[in-house]
């Protein structure tokens, strides 16, 4: 039986299970994208009161000649689905993009291959490098939007300090060397209860960083981005804790149920009576 002490592990699932993962190249099949859009968005809307995003205009500051890597924290089961929603609902405001996402234990979800996903097997360093090499090669096209969790494993919400594995630095270096450059955009995500009976999702896009020079030290690059990403996430959390939601837009917001509408009307009656 899983206990609270065992909710998070430093050992990747594929290494714990010691199973071989069949490598599947990512594909983009319109039918499965339609199904993914419908199913994932319905699941998000069913569980969360709203989804808000902020500073999408930062995406327009990228170098449009290069692919874009979005990197976000990984704290729960919804994160990968949220990445898909971002690319196919939010980025659609600015154009069409093909998603790429690495998934551990993708043999459990082989159909994800057809919506732009591919597996990463951390059973061995050689298997993991095969996926990272493939990931870097997918960045040759400017319409690629790669969603990456640089921590490499699921960590508790608001885990500090931020600890990245080497994947972000490896992909940035190889994309700069092979294709001339790549855009890196941090994304802060927050799942929280506000004034409603269900949690809400808040997304904030950071400023893009265009990497064109591959001559950098990967360890120094990783440590620098860990600290900058941590500050970015803390800034979002501080704004939320102060009730500062300026700049956020709704991707969707649930309509109030009838009992909440009655509650709202009763509150407004109470306010009017006080004014009288």
């Amino acid at each position: 039986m899983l206990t609270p002490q065992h909710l998070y592990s430093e050992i990747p699932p594929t290494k714990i299970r010691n199973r071989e993962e069949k490598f599947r190249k990512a594909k983009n099949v319109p039918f499965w994208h339609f199904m993914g859009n419908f199913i994932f968005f319905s699941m998000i809307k069913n569980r969360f009161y709203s989804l808000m995003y902020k500073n999408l205009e930062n995406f327009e500051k990228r170098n449009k000649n290069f692919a874009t890597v979005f990197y976000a924290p990984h704290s729960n089961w919804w994160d990968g689905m949220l990445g898909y929603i971002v690319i196919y609902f939010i980025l659609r405001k600015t154009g069409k993009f093909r998603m790429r996402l690495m998934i551990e234990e993708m043999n459990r979800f082989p159909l994800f291959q057809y919506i732009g996903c591919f597996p990463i097997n951390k059973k061995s360093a050689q298997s993991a490098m095969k996926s990272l090499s493939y990931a870097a090669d997918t960045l040759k096209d400017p319409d690629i939007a790669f969603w990456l969790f640089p921590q490499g494993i699921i960590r508790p919400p608001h885990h500090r300090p931020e600890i990245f594995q080497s994947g972000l630095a490896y992909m940035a270096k190889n994309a700069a060397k092979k294709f001339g450059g790549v855009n890196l955009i941090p994304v802060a995500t927050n799942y929280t209860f506000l004034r409603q009976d269900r949690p809400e999702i808040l997304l904030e896009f950071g400023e893009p960083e265009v990497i064109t020079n591959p001559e950098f030290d990967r360890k120094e690059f990783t440590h620098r981005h860990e600290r900058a990403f941590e500050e970015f996430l803390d800034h979002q959390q501080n704004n939320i804790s102060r009730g500062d939601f300026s700049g956020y837009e709704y991707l969707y917001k649930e309509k109030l149920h009838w009992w909440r509408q009655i509650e709202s009307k009763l509150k407004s009656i109470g306010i009017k009576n006080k004014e009288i």
Side-chain angles (χ1 to χ4, degrees):
M1 179 179 178
L2 187 67
T3 65
Q5 289 78 14
H6 299 94
L7 286 175
Y8 299 95
S9 173
E10 293 291 326
I11 305 173
T14 47
K15 198 165 187 177
I16 292 175
R17 290 173 175 78
N18 196 30
R19 293 178 182 173
E20 290 296 333
E21 288 273 316
K22 179 181 178 181
F23 188 82
R24 294 175 167 87
K25 291 185 177 181
K27 300 179 181 180
N28 292 276
V29 178
F31 171 77
W32 289 111
H33 278 306
F34 170 81
M35 293 300 297
N37 291 341
F38 176 76
I39 293 171
F40 294 159
F41 197 46
S42 297
M43 290 173 69
I44 291 278
K45 291 174 71 174
N46 187 50
R47 295 299 181 91
F48 295 92
Y49 176 80
S50 76
L51 195 163
M52 293 178 268
Y53 62 92
K54 179 180 179 179
N55 293 338
L56 180 60
E57 62 272 13
N58 282 338
F59 180 58
E60 285 299 290
K61 299 177 185 178
R62 75 194 188 284
N63 187 320
K64 297 181 181 180
N65 295 314
F66 304 137
T68 301
V69 175
F70 296 92
Y71 57 103
H74 196 9
S75 63
N76 66 72
W77 184 83
W78 292 98
D79 290 329
M81 200 176 300
L82 182 60
Y84 188 92
I85 295 299
V86 168
I87 291 167
Y88 283 97
F89 282 92
I90 297 180
L91 296 192
R92 193 169 60 182
K93 294 174 177 291
T94 60
K96 292 184 178 180
F97 298 91
R98 290 181 290 155
M99 185 186 83
R100 291 292 180 267
L101 175 65
M102 287 188 288
I103 298 180
E104 262 200 277
E105 300 186 291
M106 197 174 118
N107 279 346
R108 297 164 59 192
F109 313 101
L111 289 178
F112 285 7
Q113 171 186 13
Y114 302 111
I115 59 172
C117 302
F118 61 95
I120 179 166
N121 184 2
K122 296 181 180 178
K123 178 183 175 183
S124 67
Q126 292 84 355
S127 297
M129 283 304 300
K130 179 180 179 181
S131 294
L132 279 177
S133 178
Y134 175 77
D137 287 342
T138 66
L139 300 176
K140 63 182 178 180
D141 297 320
D143 68 338
I144 290 293
F146 200 110
W147 194 266
L148 180 70
F149 302 118
Q151 299 91 341
I153 57 175
I154 294 180
R155 294 192 182 277
H158 313 299
H159 181 274
R160 296 293 181 270
E162 282 292 340
I163 302 172
F164 288 1
Q165 295 185 7
S166 60
L168 182 65
Y170 177 88
M171 291 175 64
K173 180 180 278 285
N174 280 269
K177 186 183 297 183
K178 292 182 179 180
F179 313 121
V182 65
N183 301 289
L184 303 182
I185 298 181
V187 183
T189 61
N190 209 299
Y191 306 82
T192 189
F193 280 93
L194 297 177
R195 295 295 301 275
Q196 304 302 327
D197 57 349
R198 291 198 290 168
E200 306 187 42
I201 305 175
L202 294 94
L203 289 165
E204 182 174 350
F205 296 89
E207 293 276 348
E209 178 184 9
V210 184
I211 307 296
T212 56
N213 182 7
E215 302 303 321
F216 58 79
D217 181 79
R218 279 164 50 179
K219 285 187 177 181
E220 188 278 330
F221 178 97
T222 297
H223 293 322
R224 177 165 54 86
H225 283 77
E226 286 172 340
R227 301 290 70 79
F229 190 54
E230 186 175 304
E231 291 178 7
F232 179 54
L233 298 182
D234 287 345
H235 178 72
Q236 185 202 38
Q237 180 60 36
N238 289 337
N239 284 341
I240 292 172
S241 66
R242 291 187 291 106
D244 180 1
F245 303 103
S246 57
Y248 280 101
E249 299 178 52
Y250 284 107
L251 177 63
Y252 84 89
K253 180 181 178 183
E254 183 184 272
K255 293 182 180 179
L256 290 179
H257 293 293
W258 63 268
W259 63 85
R260 297 302 304 275
Q261 293 179 12
I262 293 175
E263 178 189 26
S264 179
K265 288 181 179 179
L266 290 174
K267 286 182 177 178
S268 66
I269 292 171
I271 292 172
K272 288 178 181 178
N273 288 337
K274 284 184 179 181
E275 290 177 349
I276 293 172

